[in-house]
Amino acid sequence: MPLIRSFRALATLSTAFFAVAVAGCGGVEGPAREPVSGVVTLDGKPLDQGLITFIPASGGDLIVSGLVVDGAFDLPRHEGPGLGAHRVEVRARKETGKVLKNREDPENPIREQVEVVPVRYNQRSELHAEVVEGADNRFTYELAGSQPAVKRIASNRR
């Protein structure tokens, strides 16, 4: 009988511990997030491929990025930005056709790339988004001036 009582006590204690652990896990989810989606055009055409980033205007660590494909982006809630004002950056690279020598690995040449989105839409972005709880949060960004930047970016892709 003492063994059965010890087992019941252990089972009761384990169940209680599990219930507290599960309840504790559900309470810490981080900041509220919202799904966002939209369209990015460059000089009137859908941006082929790129990256869109939402940076909280008030600071904070919840900086999120998503792919832009054929002019569209779609970040579900679990990948979306937090609530409030955000600075938005858009980046896209294009290969120039030049092949450069790789200083780190001379046997593996690098394909040169340039940033095609002007700095006023990334490094010094003028783009903004106000993410609202329960709203559609669909944004359209019509970018202009796709002059390749002077800064060259190397790629190891072949």
Side-chain angles (χ1 to χ4, degrees), residues 33-113:
R33 292 178 172 225
E34 285 293 314
V36 293
S37 61
V39 174
V40 179
T41 61
L42 183 59
D43 295 330
K45 299 176 186 172
L47 186 66
D48 289 334
Q49 295 180 41
L51 185 71
I52 188 164
T53 304
F54 292 83
I55 303 164
S58 62
D61 295 334
L62 190 55
I63 298 170
V64 299
S65 295
L67 295 177
V68 177
V69 179
D70 296 328
F73 65 93
D74 188 7
L75 282 82
R77 182 179 310 278
H78 69 280
E79 295 176 8
L83 303 176
H86 291 76
R87 187 171 77 99
V88 177
E89 295 182 356
V90 177
R91 297 177 187 277
R93 295 177 179 174
K94 181 178 179 181
E95 291 188 4
T96 66
K98 291 183 180 179
V99 178
L100 305 173
K101 187 175 183 177
N102 185 343
R103 293 180 189 167
E104 296 175 14
D105 183 5
E107 301 298 317
N108 188 16
I110 299 172
R111 294 186 181 273
E112 182 182 60
Q113 294 184 340

Side-chain angles (χ1 to χ4, degrees), residues 40-45 47 90 116-122 126-127 141-148:
V40 179
T41 61
L42 183 59
D43 295 330
K45 299 176 186 172
L47 186 66
V90 177
V116 295
V117 177
V119 296
R120 71 177 186 256
Y121 303 123
N122 46 60
E126 303 166 354
L127 304 175
Y141 298 104
E142 296 173 348
L143 315 181
S146 64
Q147 303 286 327

